[in-house]
Every structure is written in C-alpha cells, then in structure tokens.
Amino acid sequence: MASQDQLHIVMVPWLAFGHLNPFLELSKSLANMGHRISFISTPRNIQRLLPNLSSNLSSSSLISFVSLPLPKDDNLHDQAEATIDLPAEEVPYLKRAYDGLEGPVSSFLETSRPDWIIYDFAPYWLPAIASRLEIPCCFFTTFNASVNCFFGPPSSFWESGEDDSSGTKKPRDLTVPPSWIPFPSNLAFRNYEFGKVFGTVEIKLSGVTDGHRISSAINGCEIMAIRSCMEVESEFLGLFENLFKKQVIPVGLLPPPPSPEDENHEAWGRMKEWLDRQEQASVVYIALGTEAAFSREEITELALGLELSKLRFFWVLRDPPSTLPEGFEERTRGNGFMCFSWAPQMRILGHPSVGGSLNHCGWSSVIEALGVGCPLILLPMACDQPLVARFLAWKEMGLEVERKEEDGSFTRESIAKALRRVMADEDGEKYRVRARELKQVFGNKLLNDGYVERFSHYLKENKRQQTS
C-alpha cells in the first residue's frame, strides 16, 4: 500500500476477552491491508494476546501494543486486569479502574494524532476526547445485530446516565419481542433468565451505568462497525441502522485462525491422538465459556446427560474434577476426554471426529463452531447469550436444550435428548445440513475479508483531515 493510503488506527477495547479477541482480529485484518495499528490495553492482557499474533504474520510489524497500567482499586487484586480474572460481582470495580485510563489514553492520542479511533462500549469518555482532538471515531460492537436491535437505540432503552436506577427497563418488559422489531421474531428473555442476565447489573459501584456507557459510545461516534454480515442477519442489520440513525458497517465475522503454537503444544498432541481414534463426526465438544458459573447440580446433570446420551465427548471443564459426579470419569473412560485446563478450541472443533458443539452461545464461540461446519447444541447462561440462542434457533442454526420455565434448570434427560437429536437422530439432520451450509459463510475467508476491505475503504475516504 502506498504511504499516503496507510492509516494510523487506535484500538480501545474493553477488558474482556470476548471483546479483546475480536478487536485483535479486526486489527490483524486491517494491518494486512497495510494500516498501522496501535492497540491499547493493560500489561497482563497484552501478554495473553501476544500468542494470537503469529510471528510469521506479514502484518505483525504494523501492530503495536500500547501498554497502560490499570489504575489501582482497593477492591481488585493485583493480577485482575480482565473479567476472566474475577467473579461477576467484582466487574464493576474493574470498570471503575478502567475509567482511570482516561488520562493516559488522552495523552497518547494527543501525541500520536491517529487518523481513526475504534473503540468499545466501556470508554464512554472517549468520544469527547476525540472531538476535542478532531479525530474521527468508530464504535465497534462485538455483539451481533439481533442483540443490538433487541435493546434498541439509546432513547428507547438506556434512558439515564449517571448513578441512579432508571438506566434500564424493568426486566419484565423484556420477555416479549420489542415493538420496534417490525417482523416476526422470537427474541425475548425468559423469566428464569432475569437473575443471571440482570442480577449482576451494577449502578452504584462503578459510578456509571452500562446504559450511559453504551449511549455515550453510540451518540459520540461518526459510524458504527459490527461483527456480522448480510449473509447471516440481513434483516437485523438493516433494522440496526434504521433504529440507531447512524451508518452501520459490517466488518464480517472475523473468524480466528488456529494459533500456530497449538500444533506443537504437548497437550494438543495427547488430545489429537485421542481424537484421531474416534469415528468421523462422532464426538460432541463441550466448552461453555471461561466466565460462566455453573452450580455443582448443573455440572452433575450435564455429566449424567453426556453419559445417558452414549455419545463420545470431549469436555473442557474449568472446575476441578471433584465437582463431577462420583464414578463419572471411571464409567466414561475411553468414551470421553476430560480436559481441566487449556485446550486449543479451534483445532478441536476442526478435527474430523467432532460432529457437534454444546455451546454457551457466546458470539465468538458460535462463529468458531459454524466456521468449521460444526452443528450447535445451545445452552445459554448469561448476558447476551439467551438472545443469541433465540436468534440461532429462529434461523435453525442450532437446537436449544429444554429447561424448566420456573427456574431454568435442565435435566440429564434434556441434555441427552438435545445431544442425540443434533448428533445422531434422523430428525436432527436439518441441523447437520445447516451447519455444513453455514460453513460457506462463517468460514469463508474471502467473503469475510471483503467486508473488512470495504470498511478499510470507508476509513481511508473519511480519515482525519491533516491541519497545517
């Protein structure tokens, strides 16, 4: 790329890996097009992201990490720099500490004067800085369009700003599809999801509501970018732009490639050896996120459901082995692979023996599974996951595990039923066919790169005007 076409773009993601990783994938894609990237985060998060930046990537030299120490907060331990490092009830303190980065970020922008800033929902103070410095900015939402449309524009949902309790609608208002969705939709929370979705929403602790953060991020940007594409949710992307009265540019699904380091990892060697011994599409992969908290009862029902299904399984469980029901590992030895630590998810999902994924419906995990044509069994737990599950079920992209309406509990029988239907039963063939079809979208590098190219073109055409 000619030097006059090269942009300097600053990335400012929130401190959660469901945000950090998509921001890094977008950074890599833009760097591949010749743009210079400054990626702002904290020291420990940067160290954890470095393995995802392949040393043989031609664009690696164009991505610079800007390490800003997280300001101290007495309620956070020293190693807590991301949501994965602490329980959900302590995340408000992380947001409060994150807000302490306003000064250092402002100083960096004043000295570097980039062409664009691409930022997340959390730094609600960033648009004011960008406006003062006359730097155009883009709000990048890592949530899909259906989730964004469900909550609607700031004027309809995020009504208030600072430290009060009027920043969200009553949860009961969210049990039906919103009136502003003009086409048939199943998007709604269920009664039992209120506690897990809204129970940790804070007002007082961080001093700023999430609603105020989101509305400030949206209102202060020139454009919005979204991790989605027309082939997946064209109806919601069109509605998203109409609702928010901003230009919305899909940047594609940003499917992450397997890390080259995984191939030589000792643990992967043992995993691959076991997977190689299994029949094609016979194994269900279970990984329910790094932040979802499961009760011992839920782990028990999940384990006994796997056993009841009689399917082969590969289960990544963050909890200790002692949480499993007594005798489970002995009874399923040879039929399953238990992993209690790190696992190379992309390599496992892409192995020919894996024929399904029991998934918590994080958008990144959905993209990874469908990117290799892996059918989905849906078990949403918190945050936006129930809405993603409804969207996937509406599009017949996955089957949701049945739960009791009164408390949201699931049984070993409902787990086994959903697993067998998607993995083996004749009436689940539509999910297997659909997953193979969707691989041509979610895993299509050429298609997804095209979205980033169009985004890059917009950024170049509308970059910061140089002042003399």
Side-chain angles (χ1 to χ4, degrees):
M1 177 183 286
S3 59
Q4 63 266 28
D5 285 336
Q6 184 187 66
L7 300 178
H8 178 204
I9 301 168
V10 171
M11 296 283 190
V12 190
W14 164 234
L15 306 179
F17 279 88
H19 295 245
L20 288 160
N21 284 326
F23 266 78
L24 183 59
E25 290 304 320
L26 180 57
S27 298
K28 288 156 64 175
S29 294
L30 289 169
N32 278 333
M33 294 169 191
H35 299 307
R36 184 162 60 92
I37 307 297
S38 293
F39 192 103
I40 295 178
S41 195
T42 59
R44 188 166 183 233
N45 288 328
I46 288 172
Q47 288 303 311
R48 290 185 283 196
L49 288 170
L50 282 173
N52 296 329
L53 195 64
S54 171
S55 58
N56 60 17
L57 188 72
S58 60
S59 59
S60 293
S61 61
L62 291 174
I63 299 178
S64 300
F65 286 105
V66 180
S67 181
L68 299 179
L70 188 69
K72 292 284 291 183
D73 189 297
D74 292 339
N75 295 283
L76 296 175
H77 62 81
D78 289 341
Q79 295 297 308
E81 294 187 12
T83 55
I84 195 175
D85 300 325
L86 68 176
E89 60 268 20
E90 294 181 17
V91 170
Y93 301 120
L94 187 67
K95 289 175 181 171
R96 186 166 67 186
Y98 183 83
D99 289 338
L101 292 174
E102 179 178 356
V105 170
S106 178
S107 296
F108 175 77
L109 293 173
E110 287 171 3
T111 56
S112 62
R113 293 294 176 124
D115 297 296
W116 274 93
I117 304 167
I118 299 177
Y119 63 95
D120 213 329
F121 82 96
Y124 68 99
W125 32 262
L126 192 53
I129 298 171
S131 177
R132 173 170 57 85
L133 299 175
E134 299 183 332
I135 304 170
C137 55
C138 168
F139 170 50
F140 175 37
T141 173
T142 58
F143 299 109
N144 69 332
S146 64
V147 169
N148 282 286
C149 287
F150 177 81
F151 288 110
S155 60
S156 66
F157 186 78
W158 306 109
E159 297 167 355
S160 83
E162 301 297 324
D163 192 5
D164 62 45
S165 60
S166 63
T168 60
K169 284 186 176 180
K170 295 176 181 178
R172 300 286 168 185
D173 295 339
L174 306 179
T175 57
V176 293
S179 59
W180 52 77
I181 296 181
F183 44 81
S185 164
N186 66 345
L187 283 187
F189 287 103
R190 294 172 182 153
N191 289 331
Y192 62 77
E193 290 165 340
F194 293 159
K196 287 190 174 182
V197 174
F198 297 99
T200 60
V201 173
E202 86 293 344
I203 304 294
K204 306 289 184 184
L205 297 181
S206 71
V208 182
T209 66
D210 277 353
H212 183 57
R213 292 180 190 276
I214 295 169
S215 62
S216 298
I218 294 170
N219 290 331
C221 69
E222 275 74 21
I223 58 164
M224 294 194 294
I226 184 168
R227 190 186 189 188
S228 187
C229 66
M230 295 296 288
E231 291 77 7
V232 172
E233 47 177 356
S234 59
E235 59 280 275
F236 280 109
L237 281 168
L239 178 61
F240 186 33
E241 192 163 75
N242 289 336
L243 286 174
F244 286 75
K245 308 302 180 188
K246 296 269 186 177
Q247 182 170 357
V248 175
I249 302 179
V251 296
L253 298 162
L254 304 172
S259 173
E261 287 77 10
D262 294 348
E263 188 69 42
N264 300 317
H265 199 288
E266 180 185 356
W268 167 238
R270 295 194 303 272
M271 296 170 187
K272 184 176 184 298
E273 182 180 340
W274 185 85
L275 290 167
D276 285 345
R277 295 199 300 268
Q278 313 311 314
E279 293 182 8
Q280 184 170 348
S282 65
V283 176
V284 59
Y285 175 66
I286 305 102
L288 298 168
T290 55
E291 299 180 32
F294 283 82
S295 67
R296 191 175 191 120
E297 291 75 17
E298 288 173 326
I299 292 174
T300 294
E301 291 303 311
L302 180 52
L304 296 179
L306 283 170
E307 191 174 354
L308 185 62
S309 76
K310 301 191 183 305
L311 293 169
R312 296 189 175 272
F313 64 87
F314 190 113
W315 188 359
V316 180
L317 180 63
R318 301 292 180 179
D319 298 272
S322 59
T323 59
L324 291 168
E326 185 176 355
F328 171 76
E329 289 189 89
E330 290 75 17
R331 293 193 303 272
T332 59
R333 183 164 285 120
N335 206 47
F337 190 107
M338 292 299 308
C339 174
F340 297 99
S341 58
W342 172 89
Q345 179 157 294
M346 288 299 294
R347 293 202 180 276
I348 297 168
L349 284 169
H351 194 280
S353 69
V354 174
S357 171
L358 181 59
N359 191 292
H360 67 298
C361 303
W363 190 227
S364 290
S365 294
V366 168
I367 290 169
E368 290 173 2
L370 292 178
V372 293
C374 192
L376 295 175
I377 304 98
L378 312 173
L379 191 64
M381 295 304 296
C383 302
D384 63 314
Q385 296 164 11
L387 296 178
V388 173
R390 305 295 118 78
F391 169 74
L392 294 170
W394 181 56
K395 290 276 192 175
E396 294 191 338
M397 296 180 180
L399 176 68
E400 192 168 351
V401 173
E402 293 178 6
R403 293 166 117 147
K404 295 179 182 177
E405 187 59 40
E406 58 269 23
D407 62 2
S409 61
F410 53 84
T411 65
R412 62 199 71 176
E413 290 82 9
S414 64
I415 291 288
K417 179 182 176 182
L419 289 173
R420 288 209 59 83
R421 186 176 177 193
V422 171
M423 291 282 294
D425 292 350
E426 185 176 342
D427 68 344
E429 177 65 17
K430 65 179 180 180
Y431 297 109
R432 301 189 286 273
V433 171
R434 187 83 169 111
R436 290 193 293 271
E437 293 171 349
L438 289 167
K439 180 181 178 180
Q440 305 308 313
V441 174
F442 283 80
N444 187 328
K445 188 177 186 305
L446 189 62
L447 172 72
N448 285 287
D449 284 351
Y451 278 98
V452 182
E453 286 174 6
R454 289 187 286 276
F455 180 53
S456 169
H457 178 75
Y458 179 92
L459 297 179
K460 286 189 290 184
E461 292 295 311
N462 296 274
K463 68 179 180 179
R464 178 176 67 88
Q465 297 301 309
Q466 301 291 335
T467 57
S468 55

